Amino acid sequence: MRGRGLVLGALGASLVFAAPAFGAQKNVELVKQITEAKNATAINFLEYRDGWRGKRTVMLVTGRFGLKSYDIGNPAKPQLLDELSAERLKLEGDPDVDFGPPDTSAPRSTFWQNEDMDVDQDRKLVLLSRDPRAYAGSTTREPGEPDPNGATNIAGVYIVDAKDPEALRLLAFQPLPTGHTTTCVNGCRALWTGGPASTTRQQTELGWTGGRPIIVTDLSDPRRPRAFPMQPVDLFRRDGVTAYSHDVQVDDAGIAWVSGDGGTRGYYTDGVHYDPLERRHRHATALKPVPYGGGGIGPEHTNDSNGGFMHNAWRPIGKDAPRGDDRYRKGELLLMTEEDFGPAPEACSKQGKFTIASIKGSLNGEAWKSTPTTKFRMPVVGSWSPYGQEGSRLEGQYAPLANFCSAHYFDVDGSTVTYAWYGEGTRLLDISDPANPRQFAYWRPDDGIVWASYLRDGYIYTADRTRGVDILRLTGGAKAARAAKQDLVAPSPSAKQRAFIAAQASDLIADPDTFGLCFLPST
């Protein structure tokens, strides 16, 4: 979750080969745009020993196109190494790949979604989640059920061998009842795969009322993964109701934090720990984890009485935690994204925010004991959204139904949070004061929908639905902006940016099966 080597000063104008995009930007500049990665959803990195040359860093980019590998030894000149295309990831029975007409931004039948791609650094494995909506599929129908789109509706995880990043190899596909995101736990000897919304049968027969939980896969042998579909994890997460377990992040202490409908809850997955529900010490495993802490947050911060739809989270702890407040080092604060698209004119003012909450008071199983009549909620220390911030559209300047303002994936390096906000671009925040996160740089191109942003070796990499991958770096003004600690008034957006967001709104609709989360083609 941590970026590496934040550089606040300019690195030399000679490396900038691409002109900045038109739009709102401050204290950040464009180094390179990789347009061939349009429809990117996530990025990760693998490091290799490269003989006498030393370290070699490879960027993995996933999206509707499949998986691409790039050498980024020179970030200004990324070199495409190999690709596992959407065609190569098709399973038997899947309809043909169809990206739609060239002038549309809404592909019809492609790989989907692998929203938070994980890797096994030691074994050089890449894990690709397959959402049931891949290749024209649906969240409501089961595999094998008659489908009006001819889709298979199969979910699961692909295991990819990237020992040679110039020759990516598909080792296995493991079908699962879940498939929105996949995360390594216990040193990647096990996988936790969660989401998305549940099928009609899963709701009625399995009791997965509000979405799919976590399913565990044993990855001891990458060629022969073993799934445990009848032993789901993270049940009853929304005040006693089983709901959407969206994603997992494992912190530096080994706690696996599961975000989703109802909040974020952390688990021990190894070692002997006290189980507050069973009231005894026992051994934690990936299949039977021990509750640690966490929970939902109140409606005054989420506009949601059910604890909020937490999309992803990170708990800083130890020597790499942000400085400025000792609670970070002690592991007492949890950073969370609520993904929630409220009415477009509200512009992230009431929901879809970045929140910092205290986990103190949650370490005795409170979130697992929470009920609709006796709700447990974590206290909020601070929050942030683009609403009213410099580089943002003002309230009332959003086109009707253009719900492209919500927090999404972020990366943490010390006190810096590099944050994706869909149509509001990438925002860089200083969180040294958890009660007052402050923006010190931003990148909001007129033609971008950013899924995720990452800080790596002094460069920022964004996975953008329409632009592909933008490689950025901070300019010299970033350091001064951090020191100033000032909130500025947002300028008006350009006519081009307003028209772009309106066009995106006509191509995409919020998925009704996920209560307005996740955008799908309108046709």
Side-chain angles (χ1 to χ4, degrees), residues 356-370:
I356 302 175
S358 172
I359 66 170
K360 290 184 69 175
S362 75
L363 304 180
N364 195 35
E366 285 82 0
W368 289 262
K369 302 169 186 175
S370 186

Side-chain angles (χ1 to χ4, degrees), residues 50-67:
D50 193 18
W52 60 270
R53 297 182 183 88
K55 184 183 75 171
R56 181 189 195 189
T57 301
V58 171
M59 176 175 66
L60 290 309
V61 184
T62 187
R64 288 189 177 273
F65 46 78
L67 175 68

Side-chain angles (χ1 to χ4, degrees), residues 218-287:
D218 183 335
L219 199 62
S220 299
D221 183 350
R223 294 179 179 275
R224 298 174 181 82
R226 181 188 178 198
F228 297 86
M230 303 308 294
Q231 296 176 254
V233 172
D234 196 43
L235 301 173
F236 315 119
R237 64 167 6 265
R238 191 182 69 200
D239 297 328
V241 174
T242 295
Y244 195 144
S245 298
H246 180 268
D247 200 3
V248 183
Q249 280 76 37
V250 180
D251 70 23
D252 289 343
I255 304 298
W257 294 92
V258 186
S259 298
D261 194 359
T264 299
R265 306 191 301 184
Y267 294 89
Y268 294 106
T269 60
D270 194 15
V272 176
H273 306 277
Y274 180 73
D275 186 326
L277 303 183
E278 297 186 10
R279 297 184 180 181
R280 65 183 180 92
H281 284 82
R282 67 174 179 85
H283 194 273
T285 68
L287 273 170

Side-chain angles (χ1 to χ4, degrees), residues 83-104:
E83 177 177 6
L84 282 177
S85 68
E87 188 67 40
R88 291 173 65 185
L89 294 174
K90 276 178 57 182
L91 301 178
E92 183 177 355
D94 283 339
D96 292 340
V97 173
D98 183 359
F99 280 88
D103 59 347
T104 184

Side-chain angles (χ1 to χ4, degrees), residues 109-445:
S109 175
T110 66
F111 171 70
W112 186 255
Q113 179 182 14
N114 197 32
E115 190 179 23
D116 183 20
M117 174 174 55
D118 210 349
V119 298
D120 181 340
Q121 187 69 238
D122 292 336
R123 295 184 288 179
K124 298 295 184 284
L125 300 175
V126 185
L127 297 319
L128 305 181
S129 287
R130 173 179 161 129
D131 190 287
R133 291 168 290 190
Y135 302 97
S138 166
T139 58
T140 58
R141 292 181 288 274
E142 293 282 330
E145 185 177 333
D147 188 281
N149 300 323
T152 60
N153 302 305
I154 294 173
V157 58
Y158 301 88
I159 316 300
V160 177
D161 182 347
K163 289 186 181 69
D164 181 354
E166 298 181 34
L168 301 172
R169 293 191 302 138
L170 182 60
L171 296 181
F173 175 75
Q174 177 59 57
L176 299 169
T178 55
H180 190 65
T181 63
T182 291
T183 302
C184 292
V185 298
N186 294 349
C188 221
R189 262 42 189 184
L191 305 179
W192 277 15
T193 301
S198 44
T199 67
T200 302
R201 187 191 70 82
Q202 288 169 342
Q203 294 176 32
T204 58
E205 297 183 17
L206 300 180
W208 297 356
T209 306
R212 308 184 199 200
I214 296 294
I215 298 296
V216 182
T217 301
D218 183 335
L219 199 62
S220 299
D221 183 350
R223 294 179 179 275
R224 298 174 181 82
R226 181 188 178 198
F228 297 86
M230 303 308 294
Q231 296 176 254
V233 172
D234 196 43
L235 301 173
F236 315 119
R237 64 167 6 265
R238 191 182 69 200
D239 297 328
V241 174
T242 295
Y244 195 144
S245 298
H246 180 268
D247 200 3
V248 183
Q249 280 76 37
V250 180
D251 70 23
D252 289 343
I255 304 298
W257 294 92
V258 186
S259 298
D261 194 359
T264 299
R265 306 191 301 184
Y267 294 89
Y268 294 106
T269 60
D270 194 15
V272 176
H273 306 277
Y274 180 73
D275 186 326
L277 303 183
E278 297 186 10
R279 297 184 180 181
R280 65 183 180 92
H281 284 82
R282 67 174 179 85
H283 194 273
T285 68
L287 273 170
K288 194 176 181 183
V290 172
Y292 173 74
I297 57 178
E300 65 274 21
H301 301 286
T302 62
N303 204 24
D304 181 351
S305 63
N306 293 320
F309 189 100
M310 294 301 136
H311 183 272
N312 52 284
W314 181 247
R315 196 272 295 258
I317 188 170
K319 64 181 180 64
D320 293 320
R323 298 182 179 181
D325 191 308
D326 204 41
R327 289 176 293 180
Y328 283 128
R329 181 186 60 81
K330 294 178 179 178
E332 296 178 1
L333 300 180
L334 185 62
L335 318 181
M336 295 179 290
T337 281
E338 184 201 18
E339 184 185 25
D340 195 345
F341 298 90
E346 292 181 356
C348 294
S349 62
K350 297 180 180 179
Q351 56 214 70
K353 300 180 182 181
F354 168 53
T355 300
I356 302 175
S358 172
I359 66 170
K360 290 184 69 175
S362 75
L363 304 180
N364 195 35
E366 285 82 0
W368 289 262
K369 302 169 186 175
S370 186
T371 69
T373 55
T374 308
K375 298 181 178 182
F376 171 77
R377 299 292 183 259
M378 293 185 293
V380 169
V381 175
S383 67
W384 191 91
S385 86
Y387 176 74
Q389 304 288 342
E390 180 170 338
S392 309
R393 289 169 290 168
L394 297 172
E395 184 176 5
Q397 292 184 330
Y398 288 66
L401 301 180
N403 301 345
F404 292 100
C405 186
S406 175
H408 211 236
Y409 281 106
F410 61 84
D411 198 14
V412 182
D413 183 352
S415 299
T416 298
V417 173
T418 306
Y419 221 133
W421 285 83
Y422 282 97
E424 288 299 329
T426 294
R427 308 305 179 110
L428 287 104
L429 309 179
D430 182 341
I431 61 166
S432 53
D433 177 1
N436 295 288
R438 294 185 185 276
Q439 175 178 251
F440 65 89
Y442 55 84
W443 171 259
R444 197 209 69 208

